[in-house]
Amino acid sequence: MRHANTDPELMDLVRRFVTPGRRYLRLGGSSLGLSGTERVAFMRALVQAASEITPAELSILLEGGWRECKTASWLVVVAGRTEFSSRIGELLLASGGPYAGKAYGVTLATFGDSADADLLCRYLDHYLLRPDLVYDQGSALGALLHLDSALGSERASRYLAAGGLWQRWTDAPPRKERDPQGYRQFVDQLCTFACECAELFAALEDGD
């Protein structure tokens, strides 16, 4: 992992793309509370950043901490850089830090490919066996449910079957939210926001 406080190259990217307007804090659930001119301004700034950052710079951000990785994941999905899917999946599975996992799930869910669903399944196969760890299992399942709807698949069904991994994970302590549809609704809303930003990005790239 690279650390911004000791890495001038990473620090420069953080100043340019992560911290302006406290972007790293507003990405995710906080963005859903934005409305009117504030929402439009935030989306335009995010789209502009996604247009300016290069693939090499995104790779550097994805070597940083949770703030850098969370922001990079959103910039990846807004710009439609599907070549980063496998890297996002690796970071999700590694769960090397807090707060970025939901962004990874939204990125994979928005890209909407069967390979992205495979990455989510790898995560769930591993972490639903660890009821002591409450990481991003809920949002990953919500992302898989979102993908099932988009792809016409039923990959999530084996986790949700009676006595399946989801039930065993939620039944074990500590206390967890059981309803998978609540997670799906949250991911659906974030994917809608990501798609709106991606449309603005495409318009910017086309010069409209």
Side-chain angles (χ1 to χ4, degrees), residues 61-169:
L61 281 184
L62 289 171
E63 294 176 7
W66 71 266
R67 296 169 182 83
E68 295 93 325
C69 288
K70 177 183 178 181
T71 305
S73 188
W74 273 94
L75 295 174
V76 162
V77 73
V78 169
R81 297 188 183 278
T82 55
E83 67 270 23
F84 282 95
S85 286
S86 60
R87 177 60 176 151
I88 295 296
E90 290 172 359
L91 289 167
L92 176 63
L93 185 61
S95 290
Y99 309 123
K102 290 182 179 64
Y104 302 149
V106 169
T107 297
L108 296 174
T110 303
F111 283 161
D113 189 273
S114 59
D116 301 311
D118 289 340
L119 294 171
L120 290 166
C121 288
R122 283 177 57 197
Y123 177 87
L124 290 168
D125 287 340
H126 182 76
Y127 284 100
L128 287 180
L129 293 173
R130 294 294 307 274
D132 56 314
L133 301 179
V134 183
Y135 285 176
D136 297 292
Q137 291 94 328
S139 58
L141 182 62
L144 187 60
L145 286 166
H146 178 93
L147 273 174
D148 274 347
S149 177
L151 298 172
S153 56
E154 296 184 358
R155 293 173 185 251
S157 61
R158 66 185 178 94
Y159 300 109
L160 297 174
L165 287 178
W166 178 255
Q167 183 178 340
R168 281 180 271 166
W169 183 73

Side-chain angles (χ1 to χ4, degrees), residues 17-101:
F17 298 109
V18 178
T19 56
R22 297 170 66 83
R23 177 177 291 142
Y24 70 93
L25 286 177
R26 303 178 77 185
L27 289 168
S30 295
S31 65
L32 301 179
L34 300 176
S35 61
T37 57
E38 185 181 21
R39 186 174 190 270
V40 171
F42 180 74
M43 291 174 67
R44 286 179 176 172
L46 181 63
V47 166
Q48 186 64 42
S51 178
E52 293 173 0
I53 195 168
T54 68
E57 290 170 336
L58 282 168
S59 294
I60 293 171
L61 281 184
L62 289 171
E63 294 176 7
W66 71 266
R67 296 169 182 83
E68 295 93 325
C69 288
K70 177 183 178 181
T71 305
S73 188
W74 273 94
L75 295 174
V76 162
V77 73
V78 169
R81 297 188 183 278
T82 55
E83 67 270 23
F84 282 95
S85 286
S86 60
R87 177 60 176 151
I88 295 296
E90 290 172 359
L91 289 167
L92 176 63
L93 185 61
S95 290
Y99 309 123

